[in-house]
Amino acid sequence: MQKLIIDGGQPLKGEITVQAAKNSALPIIAACILTEEPVEIINCPHLRDIDAMLDIMRHLGCQAEFDGDKLTITCRDIALNVINNDLTGKLRSSIFILGSILSRCRRAYISRPGGCEIGLRPIDLHIAGLKSLNVQIEDDYGVICCDGSEMAPATISLEFASVGATENLMMAGVLLDGETTIVNAAREPEIVDLAAFINAMGGKVEGAGSSVIKITGVKKLHGCSFEPMPDRICAGTYLAAAAATGGNIVVNNIVPEHIFSITDRLRKVGAKITVRRNSARIVMQERPRPIHKLETNVYPAFPTDMQPQFTAMLAIATGSSVVIENLFENRYGFTGELVKMGANITVRDRVAVVHGVPKLFGATLKASDLRGGAALVTAALGAEGRSVVYGVEHIDRGYEYIERVFSSLGANIRRTTAF
């Protein structure tokens, strides 16, 4: 158990480079099962979620080794072991494994996935989609037993544009004989990245980034070397923290269109944003202005994974903001910790009313999920006095050494053992 000690009130200044995207790397790792040949993932971030996924891969007989930031995965032999709750309980993205194992082995056994407690996040869409591919599925006391011996391509219409279900079904269709079509597919950049990875291995995926994706099955895939896209949520977090501290920073290794919904809202709160080909500068010279309505939704709308960090920033705005969370019903758990710092936030169901106060004050805080933890760090960086943030293991799921990033921008932040 570790904690972050943050002495706030210092404007962030300097230049940083964003890590590769966790939400791209995880399904890419799962997709390595589709080939027997070695795959190299370049600049793979060192994260708790990555470690959890690699534990599952090794449990299935794959070899996975880091050499610096290069991850090499070889899935020459796959053991159809039950992926038990000790493994899936740590990681929501463990469900991605189903599509890739079924595509290659036609059978899979996995306990229901875990992850952050930010909402129900049912896997019904994954199950319904796989059944459309003629997979026989039974729930045996929490273990999902999948028989894909009669799998066949199909057209699948998703009730909701789920990122995870889209990725799972893409992988499930890669080695089938024929064309699988996903209608109402998610359009997130991570979907495009997974398709690019599959195609780099010799797959045939078309339409990623649109609402209709077509997967033409191939008999075999080969190894490749691939670098995941930049992490748009990490980029947004650092920009929001700069806004909360009155900072002036440059964030490198971005794809501007991926973070447009974030930079657009930052301009609305008074930040000066300059976007280049693969970088963005933010200059904030005043308290943030309020946002009349900040509403989350699927890409390209404002991302739910940025809502907590923006809520933390809006806590010191010059007026009142309304935040509407459309995707996860329990995403406001972090707001109680912000109230300890002097924030004035009222939450009812999926709506938070944030009445800005002149400043927040340091406090002892506990992160209970990944993005909520990032929000607490954002608030603590801009607050007056010292904050101690516990639950750092949640933050480590998605941010590679977050204290080093902010230290390089002049923040007084350090990690130490929690007793």
Side-chain angles (χ1 to χ4, degrees), residues 171-345:
M171 289 184 269
V174 169
L175 298 177
L176 296 182
D177 183 14
E179 185 176 274
T180 296
T181 302
I182 305 172
V183 179
N184 194 29
R187 296 184 289 163
E188 272 71 1
E190 293 81 5
I191 300 286
V192 179
D193 219 32
L194 176 61
F197 174 68
I198 292 171
N199 290 343
M201 292 194 294
K204 295 182 180 180
V205 181
E206 300 176 284
S210 75
S211 59
V212 179
I213 298 176
K214 293 183 179 180
I215 306 103
T216 303
V218 297
K219 291 185 177 180
K220 190 174 184 179
L221 297 179
H222 54 72
C224 70
S225 181
F226 191 86
E227 182 172 358
M229 58 174 268
D231 196 310
R232 58 194 175 101
I233 304 303
C234 283
T237 298
Y238 304 141
L239 292 169
T245 63
N248 179 346
I249 70 171
V250 175
V251 179
N252 296 313
N253 191 34
I254 66 163
V255 180
E257 56 265 32
H258 291 178
I259 63 170
F260 174 78
S261 65
I262 299 169
T263 54
D264 177 64
R265 271 62 171 195
L266 287 169
R267 288 189 175 100
K268 284 180 168 59
V269 303
K272 296 180 181 178
I273 306 284
T274 305
V275 177
R276 306 297 186 191
R277 184 174 63 86
N278 61 354
S279 69
R281 176 186 288 275
I282 179 171
V283 179
M284 192 72 174
Q285 298 176 322
E286 57 188 358
R287 279 175 61 195
R289 296 196 291 263
I291 297 179
H292 173 65
K293 183 170 71 170
L294 180 67
E295 190 166 4
T296 68
N297 219 314
V298 297
Y299 187 85
F302 188 80
T304 178
D305 279 356
M306 280 302 305
Q307 178 264 106
Q309 300 91 307
F310 261 65
T311 299
M313 176 190 65
L314 293 171
I316 58 166
T318 56
S320 298
S321 305
V322 175
V323 181
I324 303 172
E325 174 55 59
N326 286 313
L327 298 182
F328 296 122
E329 67 274 11
N330 295 334
R331 188 130 231 184
Y332 289 123
F334 68 95
T335 58
E337 301 299 291
L338 295 182
V339 170
K340 292 181 185 178
M341 306 176 76
N344 185 350
I345 303 174

Side-chain angles (χ1 to χ4, degrees), residues 20-29 167 189-190 193-194 226 228-230:
K22 171 187 85 95
N23 289 336
S24 180
L26 287 172
I28 284 172
I29 289 171
E167 291 171 332
E190 293 81 5
D193 219 32
L194 176 61
F226 191 86
M229 58 174 268

